[in-house]
Amino acid sequence: MKIAMIGTGYVGLVSGVCFSDFGHEVVCVDRLADKIAKLERGEVPIYEPGLDSVMIRNTQAGRLSFTTDLAAAVDGADAVFIAVGTPTRRGDGHADLAYVMAAAEDIANALTGYAVIVTKSTVPVGTNRKVAEVIRKTRPDAEFDVASNPEFLREGAALDDFMKPDRVVVGVESDRAREVMGDIYRPLFLRDFPIVYTDLESAEMIKYAANAFLATKITFINEIAALCERVGADVKSVSKGMGLDGRIGGKFLHAGPGYGGSCFPKDTSALARIGQEHGVPQRITEAVIGVNDAVKRRMIEKVLDLCGGSVNGKVMVVLGVTFKPNTDDMRDAPALTIVPALVGGGATVRVVDPQGRREGEALLPGVSWETDVYAAAQDADALVMLTEWNEFRALDLAQLAGVMATPRLADLRNVYDREDALAAGFTEFVAVGR
Ligand code: NAD
């Protein structure tokens, strides 16, 4: 199959690379000339483990290329994927569809024969029909179908998620489009990964419902964690005891500083708006959004309490600022709420993050960036674990406590045990829900 991938971000690049690895001929398009130039040089503009080698293998095999020329990529394509951003629209919380609609118009102008226009971006119910309308209006002569193919990959594990998905969801309305989508994903069906064919509206809804459900699960355990602290329970045991129930499952049941990232905040907000607009308020999702904001604020209180009520004049070392490990993505990371509160409270903040600096520098003014945890901890007053990168999971706590001015640890990811921290020389320790 010949595929054009419009938008070469976290989703478009991974999808394009993986489709080319299936054997398809893929052209990835982006309007950022810098990004395309980097990709053409074989450089991956994001941090995603394993992506570079698969990308280079397929560009060298001649199956994968990059361009800013959308029309050239669309010319003769069997399928054109829209994988552009759908961020929260300023002011009203809706998904901003400006990029999707602009791409649809550009695609319409470039169509040269029958193609399936596939929306991979996360879009509100009804968007695929709007995409079809825009194309029909722009090019009444165009021969095309639309398909909805929401993406479920997780940053940090994106290649594996794409190559071994729990399921592929495809919303289509014609046999012809279904056949094209079947051909594209055939390498996965051969390995028995399930595909859910459905209508456009259901496919669009599946993505929002899935993300809102996962955000709810995280938020539920975060709220339980606050209660655990009050009643003397340990949320780690509670999660384990709950998660072993097959009906519940242990994933997304780890208490922490609140969810962030490029998807959950914007998708829960969009779902709440979709519900309001249709007169069916999504009260659970609305509550989740409010509780998650409160969770992040509660983390600030925790750190202040650890430092005796104020961080003014204190040296704080923040471990991890990306929204989760194994990504450089800072979008809506809890660090963007918590770190500025520390800086604003008068603290000197040193940040250590294996990949966060490139994005984080502009987003976190007033902090210094360090590469070594032990050097950063020299004469510091507190360590705050915000993102549990692997290299932060087995720190030498005694060495850290030894170099700090006042050895305090706020472990907002529940990596360490209080007894171990105190035995290593930390004088103050706080975790989440324990
Ligand atoms: P992103 O911001 O990383 O990438 C979007 C890219 O599209 C950018 O490089 C931008 O320059 C490009 N672009 C925008 N308009 C364009 C146009 N008209 N022509 C060519 N290029 C254009 O976004 P992302 O994180 O990859 O997300 C894309 C979509 O996938 C969103 O709807 C998101 O909700 C969804 N999604 C994201 C993830 C994730 O983990 N990031 C997972 C599942 C679904």
Side-chain angles (χ1 to χ4, degrees):
M1 304 298 287
K2 220 181 144 209
I3 294 172
M5 183 67 63
I6 314 303
T8 309
Y10 286 86
V11 164
L13 181 58
V14 171
S15 307
V17 166
C18 291
F19 281 146
S20 69
D21 211 49
F22 291 174
H24 302 310
E25 196 184 312
V26 181
V27 184
C28 288
V29 183
D30 207 283
R31 52 183 183 189
L32 299 177
D34 279 4
K35 196 180 252 189
I36 293 300
K38 256 193 180 166
L39 288 160
E40 282 182 318
R41 289 196 300 270
E43 294 168 28
V44 179
I46 55 171
Y47 177 72
E48 181 59 50
L51 186 57
D52 46 0
S53 57
V54 188
M55 186 182 100
I56 289 164
R57 178 166 81 224
N58 285 286
T59 38
Q60 282 173 351
R63 287 189 293 265
L64 176 65
S65 59
F66 304 96
T67 183
T68 52
D69 186 350
L70 182 142
V74 169
D75 183 12
D78 299 295
V80 183
F81 282 78
I82 300 177
V84 300
T86 48
T88 299
R89 192 162 70 190
R90 249 170 220 268
D92 65 5
H94 264 299
D96 187 347
L97 293 178
Y99 301 106
V100 172
M101 293 308 163
E105 210 177 312
D106 290 347
I107 293 164
N109 282 317
L111 284 174
T112 50
Y114 176 82
V116 182
I117 316 304
V118 192
T119 304
K120 205 168 232 331
S121 301
T122 303
V123 292
V125 181
T127 304
N128 272 272
R129 289 195 196 284
K130 283 189 196 147
V131 166
E133 253 171 55
V134 166
I135 297 174
R136 221 171 280 124
K137 209 167 132 209
T138 314
R139 277 286 302 282
D141 62 313
E143 238 200 309
F144 72 98
D145 281 304
V146 291
S148 168
N149 175 218
E151 183 49 57
F152 299 94
L153 62 79
R154 293 162 303 164
E155 288 174 17
L159 280 179
D160 236 31
D161 284 352
F162 200 93
M163 299 288 202
K164 300 177 203 154
D166 289 339
R167 78 308 206 184
V168 172
V169 172
V170 175
V172 271
E173 293 197 306
S174 80
D175 291 342
R176 198 174 177 186
R178 184 181 165 133
E179 212 170 288
V180 170
M181 295 305 287
D183 283 345
I184 289 173
Y185 280 106
R186 189 171 319 283
L188 291 182
F189 313 151
L190 296 175
R191 284 150 60 203
D192 274 345
F193 293 108
I195 180 156
V196 179
Y197 283 111
T198 182
D199 55 90
L200 296 173
E201 284 74 14
S202 303
E204 292 166 332
M205 190 56 125
I206 286 168
K207 176 66 192 176
Y208 279 112
N211 270 3
F213 191 83
L214 293 173
T216 302
K217 208 172 168 192
I218 294 174
T219 306
F220 181 85
I221 201 67
N222 281 338
E223 202 167 47
I224 290 287
L227 186 56
C228 284
E229 287 174 17
R230 200 53 67 85
V231 300
D234 181 341
V235 77
K236 269 189 121 168
S237 299
V238 174
S239 294
K240 193 168 179 193
M242 284 174 68
L244 286 169
D245 185 325
R247 295 167 302 177
I248 297 174
K251 290 183 181 164
F252 285 75
L253 215 54
H254 302 288
Y259 64 75
S262 60
C263 291
F264 289 174
K266 78 174 178 63
D267 293 348
T268 46
S269 164
L271 182 63
R273 292 296 296 153
I274 295 165
Q276 285 157 10
E277 212 162 61
H278 288 82
V280 189
Q282 298 297 292
R283 290 202 296 268
I284 294 175
T285 300
E286 287 173 7
V288 163
I289 295 167
V291 173
N292 191 56
D293 286 341
V295 168
K296 288 190 271 182
R297 289 195 302 275
R298 197 170 86 82
M299 296 302 123
I300 299 169
E301 294 303 318
K302 250 181 199 302
V303 176
L304 293 180
D305 283 353
L306 180 81
C307 294
S310 165
V311 292
N312 194 20
K314 301 218 160 60
V315 177
M316 314 288 292
V317 178
V318 173
L319 303 181
V321 287
T322 54
F323 85 92
K324 64 174 175 182
N326 290 330
T327 181
D328 56 354
D329 201 339
M330 290 287 301
R331 286 178 281 186
D332 272 316
L336 298 180
T337 306
I338 296 166
V339 174
L342 303 180
V343 175
T348 297
V349 178
R350 302 171 183 163
V351 172
V352 188
D353 189 294
Q355 295 291 336
R357 183 171 185 169
R358 194 176 52 84
E359 288 285 312
E361 260 186 329
L363 297 168
L364 295 172
V367 307
S368 64
W369 294 82
E370 310 276 342
T371 49
D372 179 68
V373 179
Y374 301 93
Q378 194 74 42
D379 301 323
D381 296 295
L383 284 182
V384 181
M385 167 84 80
L386 261 187
T387 309
E388 72 286 26
W389 285 85
N390 270 345
E391 45 259 78
F392 301 152
R393 287 171 179 264
L395 294 169
D396 184 334
L397 294 181
Q399 190 184 338
L400 284 169
V403 298
M404 292 176 71
T406 43
R408 301 183 179 103
L409 175 57
D411 179 5
L412 306 184
R413 293 288 181 175
N414 289 345
V415 173
Y416 295 100
D417 285 325
R418 163 182 291 277
E419 294 69 32
D420 294 342
L422 297 183
F426 278 86
T427 51
E428 316 261 354
F429 177 84
V430 68
V432 179
R434 315 184 76 188

